[in-house]
Amino acid sequence: MKQAGKLFPQVIANLIPQIIIIKLKNFPFDTVSLDADEIQALEDTYKELKRKFSIGLPNESEQHINKFEIFNNIPGAKLGGTLLINYPSANCYLNFVKFSYQNSMGGRGGKGGQVTQYDKYQVWAFADLKSDFGRVLIRRETFTDRVLEIFHPVELKFNDDRIFSSHFYVVANDNEKAKAAMTSAFRNILVEMMYKDFVVEIINTVIVIRTIQPVTPDHTVHLAEFVNKLSQLT
């Protein structure tokens, strides 16, 4: 019996990795180098998204998932998972973007110490729009933007929409095309739903909404609702 008692903890230890693998078997995210809190946040977010929306997973034939080249401009960023929102009726999706960080501990001047690597997720929303915007950047306007605009006016203004123009900074490579595509319905959705940390980039008919906030159920659901409304515009 003493021998069995010694073996029992070892048996449990051998089973734990298998239990974790079974739990995450159908989990649609890359969980390598994530801590327990990050995995729990992903699990809670995935559960809430499935409760609110019809969720789909991309397949190899859906090349539009990776066509936005913004990932190529950010070293260390990689796609860790994609969820289609209100699939298959809507043309919008969430990309869970994984960023790698390093933390140095000990050592003189940061050298010779222990270096640990950990990963964190951000959620970016994408959609295929029905109008061609050209290239457009939209974010919340800052005091610095207002000062610079005095000396170097480049911002696209909507004089008939004071509320939008007073809150958002917009630049475009083709002002006429962007103005035609940024209808009052489009602008109203931004006024209603765009958080301060959101940055919108549009390349022709593809929109991405970026955020630097950590993954949480409430924030991600709001982002999904935001991009879903934009994708439904005619």
Side-chain angles (χ1 to χ4, degrees):
M1 293 298 292
K2 289 183 178 179
Q3 184 67 22
K6 291 180 179 179
L7 288 174
F8 183 74
Q10 184 61 45
V11 171
I12 294 298
N14 290 337
L15 283 176
I16 288 174
Q18 299 177 29
I19 293 170
I20 295 174
I21 291 171
I22 291 171
K23 182 181 179 183
L24 299 178
K25 183 177 180 181
N26 297 318
F27 200 49
F29 306 109
D30 175 9
T31 58
V32 175
S33 300
L34 298 184
D35 60 26
D37 290 341
E38 192 77 2
I39 293 176
Q40 187 63 58
L42 283 172
E43 289 181 338
D44 293 343
T45 298
Y46 185 42
K47 181 179 179 180
E48 187 65 10
L49 286 169
K50 289 196 296 182
R51 190 178 73 84
K52 294 273 189 177
F53 304 96
S54 173
I55 297 296
L57 300 178
N59 56 48
E60 294 181 358
S61 65
E62 289 166 316
Q63 296 299 324
H64 67 285
I65 294 298
N66 294 314
K67 73 182 181 183
F68 208 88
E69 296 180 357
I70 195 169
F71 297 110
N72 298 329
N73 301 322
I74 303 180
K78 60 182 179 179
L79 190 59
T82 298
L83 298 179
L84 309 178
I85 302 299
N86 282 344
Y87 179 79
S89 60
N91 293 317
C92 59
Y93 47 95
L94 300 178
N95 275 344
F96 288 74
V97 187
K98 199 175 183 186
F99 293 84
S100 294
Y101 302 90
Q102 287 188 343
N103 184 33
S104 299
M105 298 181 63
R108 181 175 296 177
K111 298 180 180 179
Q114 183 180 4
V115 178
T116 58
Q117 180 173 313
Y118 61 97
D119 291 345
K120 293 289 184 181
Y121 270 106
Q122 294 175 11
V123 187
W124 296 358
F126 291 71
D128 293 321
L129 304 177
K130 296 178 176 64
S131 299
D132 186 348
F133 288 68
R135 296 181 70 97
V136 179
L137 170 70
I138 308 169
R139 56 175 170 77
R140 288 282 182 173
E141 190 171 51
T142 65
F143 175 75
T144 302
D145 293 330
R146 296 189 185 102
V147 173
L148 290 176
E149 186 67 17
I150 297 173
F151 303 99
H152 187 54
V154 296
E155 185 180 356
L156 176 60
K157 288 288 188 180
F158 294 83
N159 295 325
D160 60 339
D161 191 341
R162 295 293 181 87
I163 294 177
F164 179 85
S165 292
S166 64
H167 287 86
F168 293 94
Y169 178 80
V170 182
V171 290
N173 71 332
D174 187 328
N175 285 352
E176 294 305 316
K177 180 182 286 188
K179 268 198 169 184
M182 293 179 63
T183 62
S184 60
F186 177 90
R187 299 194 304 271
N188 287 341
I189 292 174
L190 266 63
V191 170
E192 176 189 355
M193 303 195 70
M194 188 161 165
Y195 287 166
K196 288 184 178 180
D197 66 287
F198 288 170
V199 176
V200 170
E201 292 186 51
I202 308 172
I203 296 181
N204 301 121
T205 60
V206 181
I207 186 171
V208 54
I209 307 169
R210 293 188 289 147
T211 173
I212 60 173
Q213 293 299 317
V215 177
T216 64
D218 290 345
H219 194 271
T220 307
V221 165
H222 179 83
L223 186 60
E225 291 172 341
F226 183 17
V227 76
N228 183 56
K229 277 194 173 184
L230 292 175
S231 72
Q232 293 175 0
L233 292 174
T234 57

